[in-house]
Amino acid sequence: MLDRYSIASFLVFSFLVGALDASAGDADPLYRACVTECEKTGCVGGRCFPQCKFPSDGVANDGPWYTQEPLYLKWKQWDCQSDCRYNCMVDREKEREAVGDGPVKYHGKWPFKRVFGIQEPASVAFSALNLAMHFHGWLSFFILLYYNLPLRQGKKAYYEFASLWHIYGLLAMNSWLWSAVFHSRDVDLTEKLDYSSAVALLGYSLILAILRCFDVRVEAARVMVAAPFLAFVTTHILYLNFYTFDYGWNMKVCVVMGVAQLLIWAIWAGVTRHPYRWKCWVVIIGGALAMFLEIYDFPPYQGFFDAHAIWHATTIPLTYLWWSFIRDDAKFRTSILLRKAD
């Protein structure tokens, strides 16, 4: 549940960033003049970039194959314009700091410091940690089901929602993987992969919330519930990738799905007598409080830790607690079924 609420918030934040693409920094005449000059000369303040000898497609205007742009630069897509913008931004921020002015956004984003070519290193690190936390949670859930708890004939788990949580774990890991890739380099491909995987996780998580909270165990009923949501989410992803990438429409879809499942889990936690419902409440409240970091946007500390990166960090312990709740739910439901079988 934490992931879908968090991802919905991230998509809202990303939409706002996209809407504010023309920021104060890139409107600065000194910055614009620096970028224009750099694209002509390939140099900023004595620092010259070999990428500026190549056009945007990465192929040299003349010369043999060995003078073409290196493969590792093609993979990162740091072309002449990107390096000129980054280095002009760094120099301009130093000038602003010298006269006592605070940082401003450039092209909708705060001025981050690159590390080994990574665009937002803190967000990448925290996304990777979230990925690791989900892998740990899913693996421990798998071991609990098939090695620590009794099994039915045919080595099937007693827990009726086991397969649903397995799919959830795989989608969550996929989503955080592309989040890390997107924060390492924001280009059209990584953006689409990040958004598409986030929408897929949100849509599936809404289905899972309905099935678990309403205790839907009959396969035919599950198919009837899931089918319209799967059809809508699939159509939405295809629309974004192959028709038009509408940030506003995508934001509305994700917010509706995120808020809907948040309310479902909150109502369930309020009416159920589940012994581990307190963990669900902690994740709900913790996720809601963490959202203030997205509302209170501030520039990156030391060029690394902005509000969005710190928000990514807060989801790590909450993810651990959420998978702990899933394991406890499996043990609790299994114990009930075993008592009924006796």
Side-chain angles (χ1 to χ4, degrees):
M1 174 186 54
L2 170 68
D3 293 287
R4 34 265 199 212
Y5 189 48
S6 301
I7 290 170
S9 308
F10 165 69
L11 292 170
V12 173
F13 175 77
S14 300
F15 166 74
L16 294 175
V17 168
L20 297 174
D21 187 63
S23 307
D26 46 272
D28 183 350
L30 295 176
Y31 168 80
R32 296 171 72 91
C34 174
V35 172
T36 301
E37 183 65 21
C38 173
E39 290 178 345
K40 292 178 180 178
T41 64
C43 300
V44 175
R47 304 185 303 277
C48 297
F49 318 113
Q51 300 90 283
C52 288
K53 297 178 182 178
F54 308 94
S56 58
D57 61 3
V59 180
N61 291 322
D62 51 23
W65 63 268
Y66 53 80
T67 64
Q68 296 182 8
E69 187 177 26
L71 286 176
Y72 77 92
L73 288 175
K74 288 183 181 180
W75 180 81
K76 294 177 181 177
Q77 293 197 24
W78 291 123
D79 54 21
C80 180
Q81 183 186 67
S82 299
D83 270 337
C84 285
R85 285 182 173 183
Y86 174 75
N87 285 275
C88 286
M89 176 193 72
V90 170
D91 286 358
R92 188 71 188 102
E93 282 301 302
K94 289 179 180 178
E95 294 170 358
R96 291 177 58 82
E97 185 180 4
V99 297
D101 293 335
V104 294
K105 290 186 177 182
Y106 296 81
H107 305 283
K109 293 190 174 184
W110 290 113
F112 290 95
K113 293 180 180 178
R114 292 183 192 170
V115 175
F116 299 113
I118 296 174
Q119 192 169 339
E120 300 177 37
S123 289
V124 171
F126 293 139
S127 293
L129 287 173
N130 273 286
L131 170 61
M133 195 60 65
H134 273 288
F135 177 74
H136 173 270
W138 172 76
L139 184 61
S140 60
F141 176 67
F142 182 89
I143 293 172
L144 172 71
L145 284 179
Y146 299 104
Y147 292 94
N148 296 338
L149 293 178
L151 297 173
R152 301 176 187 267
Q153 290 183 353
K155 295 184 178 181
K156 292 184 178 180
Y158 275 93
Y159 186 47
E160 313 97 318
F161 303 96
S163 59
L164 297 176
W165 286 116
H166 286 317
I167 297 172
Y168 165 79
L170 295 175
L171 288 175
M173 287 185 282
N174 176 71
S175 181
W176 282 111
L177 169 66
W178 291 116
S179 173
V181 173
F182 173 68
H183 284 298
S184 66
R185 183 66 175 106
D186 178 4
V187 295
D188 183 64
L189 176 62
T190 59
E191 181 183 50
K192 287 183 176 180
L193 288 169
D194 180 44
Y195 276 62
S196 297
S197 59
V199 170
L201 177 59
L202 274 167
Y204 179 79
S205 298
L206 176 57
I207 297 171
L208 181 53
I210 295 172
L211 297 181
R212 175 61 190 91
C213 293
F214 289 94
D215 198 20
V216 181
R217 286 174 282 178
V218 179
E219 288 298 323
R222 288 183 176 184
V223 172
M224 291 178 64
V225 171
F229 290 102
L230 290 175
F232 175 78
V233 170
T234 302
T235 304
H236 179 66
I237 292 174
L238 292 174
Y239 173 83
L240 292 178
N241 285 276
F242 300 105
Y243 185 70
T244 180
F245 205 94
D246 189 332
Y247 289 93
W249 169 244
N250 186 58
M251 177 192 69
K252 294 174 184 177
V253 170
C254 293
V255 168
V256 169
M257 290 194 297
V259 171
Q261 56 202 275
L262 178 69
L263 290 175
I264 291 171
W265 280 109
I267 293 171
W268 176 84
V271 300
T272 185
R273 294 185 179 180
H274 198 291
Y276 302 102
R277 62 187 179 276
W278 66 270
K279 293 184 179 182
C280 192
W281 275 117
V282 171
V283 172
I284 293 171
I285 297 172
L289 292 175
M291 279 312 307
F292 285 106
L293 289 169
E294 291 291 78
I295 298 171
Y296 181 63
D297 189 24
F298 56 83
Y301 176 73
Q302 297 296 322
F304 298 110
F305 302 98
D306 68 330
H308 187 66
I310 296 174
W311 167 68
H312 270 316
T314 63
T315 62
I316 297 171
L318 293 177
T319 297
Y320 177 84
L321 186 62
W322 182 240
W323 275 105
S324 174
F325 166 75
I326 295 169
R327 292 193 300 271
D328 290 335
D329 185 51
K331 289 185 286 187
F332 177 63
R333 297 283 301 186
T334 299
S335 65
I336 292 176
L337 291 172
L338 289 174
R339 285 199 301 268
K340 289 182 178 179
D342 293 339

